[in-house]
Amino acid sequence: MEQGDPAETVVPDWNVAPTKTVQVVLERPLKDAVSRRPVRQLRHLKWGLVPSWAASPDGAARMINARAETVQEKPSFRRAFAARRCIVPADGYYEWMTEPDERRLEVEGKKKRARKQPYFVTPADGSVMAFAGLYEFWRDPALPGDHPQAWWATCTILTTEAETTPLAGQGAGTLVGQGTGQSAGQDTGQGAGHGTGTGPDTAQGGERRGPVAGPEQPARTGAGGPRSLAAIHPRMPLILTPDRWDDWLDPGHTDPARLAPLLEPPPPGLVRAYPVSTAVSNVRNNGPELLTALEAPEEGTLF
């Protein structure tokens, strides 16, 4: 990191919701600098991308994610993908799991809203996650150019198909909820994303989907919980391993053929997941206790 704004304090956030401010790493020339050399810097952006050509920022909350499979094609994302890529660091993210029976009742109209158990997904080695992101600048035409809110800086997180391979530490008989529940959120400033990486590719107008039973969905175990990310949700954030950081951040890399390999999913088995309190489902709750691991899903949440 070469540049950061000392006036902007990095405060831990244990429950990051769409439209909140997040810290991202990006490379671009410094404002008003003589040199136009791209500088790696930490910036504060709003989560929910507003394309530069948008008439208004009203759709930002629906643009929290972009599908890696189509990001090069969608008008909302392709220009940012070519030149404005960033990394969103976090200690992990929350994802909500719907049991098949609950989902079936919801689809059949016998239940208005299925009960969901939140899980915290985090690197098995205790490191920091690096989500692949895009950013954009949007000019508010209703404000004068010197107004502090005349320009919006926003971002989105790329998603990919969730891993079907076993989670780290998921050997025979292993319980998901046996983690420590501790987080390095005070180091990164972003404890966890609220549903990070699971929203729809809004350029396609899709709705957020729960897990769907099928051959591509590994079976869920009873007391042991889900054994793969795909058993929790069919999508996951696109996580960049350190060997991809430089190429992803370099704004000089605009060749689609060179960028395409960066959209490949990371090696499997790098993360673990454990159940946490349903308190995280309320965005007003925000504290390290949200990451405390439960030994099993909460009473009455499932079945």
Side-chain angles (χ1 to χ4, degrees):
M1 191 76 61
E2 295 183 63
Q3 181 73 22
D5 188 345
E8 295 183 325
T9 303
V10 178
V11 179
D13 193 337
W14 310 96
N15 200 352
V16 182
T19 74
K20 267 191 171 184
T21 296
V22 296
Q23 291 80 42
V24 309
V25 178
L26 55 83
E27 287 188 5
R28 61 181 294 108
L30 295 177
K31 184 178 180 180
D32 300 328
V34 175
S35 171
R36 304 314 294 163
R37 177 182 66 88
V39 174
R40 185 167 298 185
Q41 49 195 289
L42 182 70
R43 299 286 293 271
H44 290 63
L45 276 60
K46 184 173 291 190
W47 183 27
L49 190 133
V50 181
S52 59
W53 45 261
S56 77
D58 293 344
R62 300 190 303 272
M63 304 285 278
I64 59 172
N65 295 138
R67 288 176 176 261
E69 299 90 337
T70 58
V71 69
Q72 299 183 71
E73 308 164 7
K74 298 300 177 181
S76 296
F77 307 120
R78 62 190 179 196
R79 291 174 62 183
F81 175 69
R84 288 179 292 279
R85 298 176 300 276
C86 63
I87 287 176
V88 184
D91 296 301
Y93 68 95
Y94 302 111
E95 192 52 89
W96 283 257
M97 174 177 162
T98 304
E99 282 294 323
D101 288 343
E102 290 274 318
R103 179 62 174 165
R104 177 179 55 80
L105 292 174
E106 186 180 36
V107 171
E108 294 175 354
K110 297 178 181 179
K111 196 165 192 176
K112 290 185 177 179
R113 188 173 182 178
R115 291 173 293 182
K116 299 180 180 181
Q117 171 62 47
Y119 282 79
F120 184 61
V121 183
T122 188
D125 62 1
S127 61
V128 175
M129 279 184 169
F131 300 140
L134 310 175
Y135 69 97
E136 273 283 15
F137 295 101
W138 179 78
R139 172 73 167 85
D140 189 341
L143 297 175
D146 58 352
H147 193 283
Q149 296 180 348
W151 285 93
W152 287 44
T154 62
C155 66
T156 189
I157 294 172
L158 273 66
T159 67
T160 187
E161 290 189 2
E163 296 174 1
T164 58
T165 51
L167 291 158
Q170 276 289 67
T174 301
L175 292 179
V176 171
Q178 294 180 334
T180 64
Q182 297 176 343
S183 167
Q186 294 178 343
D187 296 326
T188 65
Q190 291 170 201
H194 184 82
T196 302
T198 61
D201 177 352
T202 52
Q204 295 179 329
E207 295 182 356
R208 174 171 171 163
R209 298 174 295 136
V212 179
E216 75 283 3
Q217 289 281 89
R220 297 163 175 78
T221 60
R227 294 189 178 275
S228 72
L229 287 178
I232 301 175
H233 194 279
R235 305 291 296 178
M236 60 176 273
L238 178 59
I239 302 169
L240 297 173
T241 49
D243 59 299
R244 300 182 181 184
W245 293 356
D246 289 345
D247 286 340
W248 181 259
L249 292 174
D250 189 346
H253 293 170
T254 59
D255 181 3
R258 185 172 181 179
L259 293 171
L262 302 178
L263 297 173
E264 295 296 322
L270 299 180
V271 301
R272 64 189 184 99
Y274 58 82
V276 294
S277 169
T278 53
V280 73
S281 300
N282 186 334
V283 298
R284 290 189 292 271
N285 296 326
N286 199 321
E289 68 278 0
L290 296 178
L291 273 65
T292 300
L294 305 179
E295 292 190 1
E298 285 191 325
E299 183 73 22
T301 302
L302 304 178
F303 305 108

